[in-house]
Amino acid sequence: MARTSTSSSGFTLIEMMLVVALGLVLAGIALPNLRTMSQSYRLSAASAVVTSKVHQARTNSLKRNRPAWVLVDGANRTVQVQTAGASGPVNIGGPEFLPTGVVFSTGTATATVSFDAMGRAVNPPQTIQLQYPGSGLTRTITVTSTGRVTVN
């Protein structure tokens, strides 16, 4: 006598629809948070780049015993360390570009953070502000008279 099985294995259509709906709800909650996290990460990376260039300028002013500065170019979204040379400014290394979406609050203008030959900031406190437009995220990099750099 042959035995017949009436049970079947697998998922019903209702169970699959429930799993898909739950996945869509979770994705809807996660995507805005991922965007904010990505913007925050880019802004943090940009502030690290600018802070590094400020430290590099101060170190070069001490090492070369001559003024050095960080040139902030808002139009090109770059930071460049320069020092005084015999025939004008001399670039130290190459320019660093900001991550996509991050801009200087100065807009397209240029600004500098300068150090004298002793590594002291000229006209302290000096600030550079970075922002991610449309998100409300900003970072302010401040250089004190002693050359200390803080990021808020």
Side-chain angles (χ1 to χ4, degrees):
M1 201 187 264
R3 204 174 203 198
T4 60
S5 175
T6 58
S7 69
S8 63
S9 61
F11 300 107
T12 66
L13 181 60
I14 293 174
E15 290 172 330
M16 289 186 68
M17 288 175 58
L18 189 62
V19 169
V20 169
L22 184 61
L24 289 174
V25 168
L26 290 175
I29 292 170
L31 285 179
N33 292 333
L34 288 175
R35 184 179 320 158
T36 302
M37 186 177 69
S38 172
Q39 292 170 346
S40 179
Y41 173 76
R42 287 180 182 173
L43 195 58
S44 294
S47 62
V49 165
V50 173
T51 301
S52 171
K53 286 295 187 179
V54 169
H55 285 296
Q56 183 182 4
R58 183 168 186 265
T59 301
N60 272 286
S61 71
L62 289 166
K63 181 171 71 172
R64 298 170 192 270
N65 198 26
R66 65 176 69 158
W69 56 91
V70 176
L71 177 64
V72 174
D73 186 352
N76 294 321
R77 298 177 34 251
T78 61
V79 287
Q80 171 72 54
V81 176
Q82 295 181 329
T83 189
S87 60
V90 176
N91 291 337
I92 308 283
E96 289 282 338
F97 292 88
L98 295 181
T100 304
V102 178
V103 297
F104 294 106
S105 65
T106 59
T108 58
T110 59
T112 59
V113 174
S114 303
F115 297 94
D116 64 12
M118 300 295 289
R120 297 175 298 215
V122 178
N123 300 324
Q126 296 186 39
T127 61
I128 300 172
Q129 191 169 35
L130 301 168
Q131 61 185 350
Y132 202 104
S135 70
L137 298 172
T138 61
R139 291 275 193 289
T140 303
I141 299 162
T142 305
V143 182
T144 64
S145 59
T146 60
R148 182 171 180 243
V149 180
T150 59
V151 180
N152 296 326

